Structures are given as structure tokens and as C-alpha cells.
Amino acid sequence: FIDSALKFQTELFSEMGKQGFMKKEDPEIMAIQFYAPLFILLMEYDTIPEKKDKAVATLMRHVEQFSKLYSVE
């Protein structure tokens, strides 16, 4: 659940860096920085369906900020 997700994201961020879509930073660290908040949100809200809107809003803010940090402008 964790290892395969991090492996996939590491490979994805590495390739996106090579293709010029993302900054060429350490793709393994980028994967950890991206995935850890997703994992926390899943653990916190998975069993609380009435908090889905809050979880989705937080997820969207996370993705937007990650993009600001690592996307090539």
C-alpha cells in the first residue's frame, strides 16, 4: 500500500522531470512529500463519510501547493 505507491510516484516524478514538466529535484523525496498528506487524509477521514467535503478540500489545496512548488513555469 505504501511501497508500491511511493515507487510509482518516484518513477512518475522522475519522468516528469526528464520531460520538463516538473523541476528536477529528488523524485523519491517528492513522492514522499506528495504521498504523506494523502495517506494522512485517508487515515483521518476514511471512516468519517460526513467529513468527505473537508478531506477533498484539503486534498485540492495540497495538490495545488505541491504543483506550485514543483511544476516548471
Side-chain angles (χ1 to χ4, degrees), residues 12-72:
L12 177 66
F13 294 142
S14 177
E15 187 60 33
M16 290 178 81
K18 289 176 188 173
Q19 292 187 23
F21 294 108
M22 298 193 86
K23 295 177 182 174
K24 290 184 180 180
E25 300 293 338
D26 184 327
E28 184 177 9
I29 297 302
M30 290 171 69
I32 292 168
Q33 290 174 332
F34 184 79
Y35 187 68
L38 301 179
F39 186 78
I40 289 169
L41 286 171
L42 180 63
M43 294 296 106
E44 185 172 355
Y45 295 112
D46 186 42
T47 60
I48 311 171
E50 61 273 11
K51 299 268 185 158
K52 177 185 172 192
D53 291 342
K54 183 179 186 327
V56 170
T58 303
L59 173 63
M60 295 303 296
R61 290 182 15 239
H62 165 61
V63 171
E64 288 171 7
Q65 179 148 336
F66 187 87
S67 179
K68 286 178 187 176
L69 291 171
Y70 290 113
S71 291
V72 173

